[in-house]
Amino acid sequence: MSDPYLGLTMLGLIVVAIMMGFPTAFTLMGLGMVFGFIAFWNPLQHWYDNRIFDLIVQRTYGVMTNDTLLSIPLFVFMGYIMERAALVDRMFHSVQLAFRRVPASLAVTTLLVCAFWGIASGIVGAVVVLMGVIAMRPMLNAGYDVKLASGAITAGGTLGILIPPSVMLIVYAAVAGQSIVKLYAAAMLPGFFLTFLYLVYILGWAIINPKIAPKLAPDQYRIAVPEYLQRVQGGSRSVVPGLLAAAFRPGVVSGARTESGAPAGYGMIAKSLLVLSVPVLLTVGTFGATWWYVTVYNAPEAAATATAPAKPATVATAPTAPPAAAPAPAEDKPQEVGLAGEATDDSAGKPDGPPQEVTSFVERTTSTAGTIPAHFYPWFWGLAAVAALLLFVYFWRMDGEQLEILKELCVSVVPLGVLTVIVLAVILFGICTATESAAIGALGALYLAVMSRYLRPVLWWSLVGVIVGVLLGWYEGEAFASLIVAGSISGTLLGTVAPGLWYLRTSPELRRNLKESTFLTAKTTAMVCWLFVGSALFSAVFALHGGQGLIERWVLSMNLSPLGFQFTAQLIIFLLGWPLEWTEIIVIFCPIFIPLLSHFQVDPILFGTMVAVNLQAAFLSPPVAMSAFYLKGVSPKHVTLNQIFAGMMPYMLIVCICLAFMYIWPGMTLWLPEFLYGK
């Protein structure tokens, strides 16, 4: 028995059940089983011969064999390991010192660290709680407005689910049958743009009304300069010329003391010069990698393939991407889960019901991957000149105090930043799949966690691992680039495993952190996977009853324009964010809109990215704003929940502004994936 109104009844019941507090995953499975039993009911057969039981097994097995979901536990484990390793405390202190002269410096620092830490971990609750413990009391003690302090923490903590590597985008990719790597590339610029809008709001509010963010007392941001640096700097404004001179005349620091009281020698001068080289190396490495990818790695192969005769495209055959494009990983077309996928398997049968009018996405046959963008050279050399000028001014004005701050940044921010960049780069450039990149991130997080406590053993074992990896690669006759990769992976692996296993016996803290991270990863992964099982079953039964077709006919009968459809869909998702969490919205409601995208000529990558930005509101909108409850649990007693809600509300308006920019300027979202992978 199939009835579209039974499908709508399912949709209404799931909303009511979730708002009543029932577990989402098992509610989806329960409703799917009950209404599926009704759909397949045959009075001539025994009740246990109902084909809904076959469908349950098939949908569960389909989720279990979905390779896209393998990256979720690895990324989650990466986040929990770094959170338990307590790497953020020192980072917050060093970033605060770097922005000490900026208006509302504590709030700006909190937002930046939240965003950076959220990118690395991707776990909203962990970021909000951790930053609430670290930053909430210092801001309140400094006289900051409660709404400003709570808004910076809650809004910054949600950015991790938008900026890659993001679990939210993985879930959407699996539900919508889209490419994870393309979604990651599409979400990069909007994520950073939303962060920029948050910063503009905080700085603007602090400049207009300085009372909400009083300036810190000098003793709260001053840092002691060691005696040897004072002697090197002398009466000069900059410490850099003195350090360069001391490299050739180390007797200048003879008799001076370091911050620990030990005699200063040539080693301290060499260490300071090495720290000075870090900004230069990062800048040169960034521009060099960009030049290599655009002009060396990508473009010549594209030019070679352009001479090949073009094959006529057919409707049934997807265009073949040129070799110059970053190779699409194996997970580029994940198994579809949810309403965006097929209604049922053939073996399960399908009762007669209303046809579904829209079932596929728009395929575009042109490709821009592998071509050098127009005006690349002027922009490249212009930005390189600006970066060189900024470095020159920075070093010209650097005194001993700023050098000490740079040392703190190099220790606390650079390692985690390099790991994050590597994890993203290997995905975006097609070097490996999202799952393999997540494995690299998990190994790198373990490496940083062990190195934070046992630096010297980790460095020695890493050196041994690099030598072993290079020798094995040389023995196999690998190219130079492969030798670098082999040495890096081998060094990271041996530098993690050898000292980690050795000190695991004697370090209760290391054992506890590893145990808690593993347990929390298993718990989070189980929740997500059960949610996918419930969603797959629910969506299949919903389509069996014809609910999807009924909604499609209703939407198409409204004769909406593409703008009207985008506005209506995003408005519904925005309103759903008030009572529901992002997981329910993605697995239940987003698939209802996905089959309609082709009719309204809406790019599914653009739509998915806009949904990811829109779902920031799910964490910032009462009454189910989980970020507020996370922060309330670690805030002082005089901070009320209403104050936290009031602090979050302006950021919801900023999310709407970002969505408007994304629609007006779709190139902000689609330019990077089209450049890397083609249209």
Side-chain angles (χ1 to χ4, degrees):
M1 180 181 67
S2 174
D3 188 349
Y5 293 99
L6 285 179
L8 297 182
T9 303
M10 292 176 62
L11 207 58
L13 287 177
I14 190 62
V15 175
V16 173
I18 292 174
M19 297 184 66
M20 291 177 63
F22 288 94
T24 304
F26 298 104
T27 304
L28 286 169
M29 286 187 284
L31 288 175
M33 184 176 66
V34 171
F35 283 85
F37 189 89
I38 296 173
F40 286 115
W41 169 252
N42 187 347
L44 301 179
Q45 295 179 342
H46 200 277
W47 67 270
Y48 56 72
D49 287 333
N50 195 289
R51 303 175 78 176
I52 184 61
F53 302 114
D54 297 331
L55 185 60
I56 293 174
V57 175
Q58 292 166 1
R59 287 289 166 170
T60 304
Y61 183 76
V63 173
M64 293 169 59
T65 56
N66 190 351
D67 294 339
T68 304
L69 304 180
L70 284 176
S71 56
I72 292 180
L74 294 171
F75 277 131
V76 171
F77 183 74
M78 170 184 168
Y80 279 125
I81 279 290
M82 288 191 291
E83 183 227 337
R84 299 290 160 175
L87 301 176
V88 74
D89 298 334
R90 194 170 183 179
M91 179 191 297
F92 180 80
H93 177 67
S94 60
V95 176
Q96 174 195 346
L97 293 174
F99 289 90
R100 64 193 186 278
R101 292 186 175 89
V102 176
S105 59
L106 282 177
V108 170
T109 299
T110 299
L111 181 66
L112 291 176
V113 174
C114 278
F116 189 83
W117 195 253
I119 295 171
S121 67
I123 305 169
V124 174
V127 175
V128 172
V129 170
L130 193 59
M131 292 306 301
V133 172
I134 294 173
M136 190 66 173
R137 290 184 184 275
M139 283 193 284
L140 296 181
N141 293 338
Y144 277 48
D145 186 84
V146 175
K147 296 191 291 293
L148 175 64
S150 59
I153 295 175
T154 52
T158 62
L159 290 170
I161 61 172
L162 170 62
I163 307 176
S166 166
V167 174
M168 175 192 288
L169 294 177
I170 298 174
V171 174
Y172 178 85
V175 168
Q178 290 300 308
S179 165
I180 296 177
V181 293
K182 290 183 179 179
L183 283 167
Y184 275 3
M188 291 290 291
L189 294 181
F192 292 130
F193 180 69
L194 185 60
T195 306
F196 171 74
L197 292 180
Y198 288 168
L199 286 174
V200 169
Y201 167 72
I202 292 175
L203 290 173
W205 191 12
I207 293 173
I208 294 173
N209 186 10
K211 294 181 179 180
I212 64 169
K215 291 184 177 180
L216 299 177
D219 59 338
Q220 292 184 297
Y221 61 78
R222 303 293 298 182
I223 186 171
V225 180
E227 181 185 356
Y228 82 96
L229 279 182
Q230 297 177 8
R231 186 177 299 184
V232 166
Q233 184 174 353
S236 174
R237 183 179 182 179
S238 175
V239 74
V240 177
L243 276 175
L244 295 175
F248 299 96
R249 294 187 301 113
V252 175
V253 298
S254 178
R257 299 283 175 177
T258 64
E259 58 269 18
S260 61
Y266 193 79
M268 296 305 300
I269 299 175
K271 181 180 178 181
S272 299
L273 290 174
L274 183 63
V275 170
L276 285 177
S277 68
V278 170
V280 178
L281 293 176
L282 291 178
T283 304
V284 173
T286 301
F287 281 94
T290 303
W291 178 273
W292 170 82
Y293 181 82
V294 174
T295 66
V296 178
Y297 175 75
N298 216 17
E301 294 184 4
T305 56
T307 60
K311 294 182 179 180
T314 61
V315 176
T317 304
T320 303
E331 298 163 334
D332 193 47
K333 290 295 180 183
Q335 176 183 347
E336 296 175 356
V337 179
L339 294 179
E342 298 177 2
T344 61
D345 296 328
D346 293 337
S347 58
K350 179 177 179 180
D352 295 333
Q356 299 188 16
E357 285 78 4
V358 184
T359 57
S360 61
F361 300 124
V362 176
E363 292 290 342
R364 293 180 293 178
T365 58
T366 60
S367 177
T368 59
T371 59
I372 298 178
H375 310 297
F376 168 75
Y377 294 105
W379 274 100
F380 179 87
W381 291 115
L383 291 175
V386 171
L389 180 61
L390 291 176
L391 283 176
F392 176 78
V393 174
Y394 176 65
F395 286 132
W396 181 259
R397 302 182 60 184
M398 177 179 287
D399 55 13
E401 186 179 21
Q402 291 174 327
L403 179 58
E404 289 298 304
I405 295 174
L406 180 59
K407 290 181 181 178
E408 286 292 317
L409 290 172
C410 290
V411 172
S412 59
V413 178
V414 172
L416 190 58
V418 171
L419 173 63
T420 305
V421 170
I422 290 175
V423 169
L424 293 178
V426 295
I427 297 177
L428 298 180
F429 293 159
I431 298 174
C432 60
T433 64
T435 302
E436 294 163 348
S437 173
I440 294 173
L443 177 62
L446 278 172
Y447 182 83
L448 294 180
V450 177
M451 187 175 66
S452 65
R453 289 171 173 80
Y454 309 105
L455 177 60
R456 190 176 297 271
V458 168
L459 292 180
W460 279 111
W461 279 106
S462 298
L463 179 61
V464 174
V466 169
I467 295 174
V468 172
V470 171
L471 289 177
L472 288 176
W474 176 77
Y475 178 77
E476 294 293 334
E478 297 290 341
F480 179 74
S482 299
L483 294 180
I484 296 177
V485 174
S488 302
I489 295 178
S490 178
T492 306
L493 180 61
L494 199 58
T496 303
V497 174
L501 291 178
W502 177 261
Y503 290 105
L504 197 63
R505 312 177 292 110
T506 58
S507 175
E509 183 180 7
L510 187 60
R511 290 198 302 271
R512 182 177 66 254
N513 291 343
L514 186 61
K515 178 182 177 181
E516 291 177 354
S517 301
T518 305
F519 173 77
L520 290 172
T521 300
K523 181 179 178 181
T524 304
T525 305
M527 182 270 293
V528 173
C529 291
W530 277 117
L531 191 63
F532 268 103
V533 172
S535 170
L537 180 61
F538 181 90
S539 61
V541 175
F542 182 77
L544 278 173
H545 282 291
Q548 178 69 33
L550 181 64
I551 292 176
E552 288 179 1
R553 290 195 301 275
W554 173 67
V555 173
L556 295 176
S557 67
M558 298 170 68
N559 294 322
L560 295 173
S561 65
L563 174 60
F565 170 76
Q566 277 274 56
F567 179 80
T568 303
Q570 297 299 331
L571 178 63
I572 292 173
I573 292 172
F574 183 83
L575 295 177
L576 288 172
W578 290 64
L580 303 177
E581 293 188 38
W582 67 267
T583 48
E584 289 92 352
I585 296 173
I586 285 184
V587 302
I588 300 173
F589 294 97
C590 280
I592 295 177
F593 301 107
I594 291 171
L596 295 165
L597 299 181
S598 61
H599 175 81
F600 293 99
Q601 299 297 309
V602 176
D603 191 296
I605 298 295
L606 175 63
F607 180 80
T609 310
M610 293 183 69
V611 167
V613 173
N614 198 349
L615 286 176
Q616 302 291 302
F619 283 94
L620 300 174
S621 55
V624 190
M626 295 306 299
S627 295
F629 295 99
Y630 293 144
L631 183 59
K632 174 59 180 173
V634 296
S635 297
K637 293 183 179 179
H638 66 85
V639 177
T640 65
L641 201 58
N642 287 336
Q643 289 176 314
I644 298 176
F645 283 150
M648 295 189 309
M649 295 302 288
Y651 294 93
M652 296 178 60
L653 179 61
I654 296 175
V655 169
C656 297
I657 295 174
C658 183
L659 287 172
F661 270 98
M662 292 174 67
Y663 184 83
I664 296 171
W665 184 29
M668 180 174 65
T669 304
L670 298 177
W671 175 81
L672 186 57
E674 289 180 357
F675 171 70
L676 293 175
Y677 314 112
K679 291 184 178 181

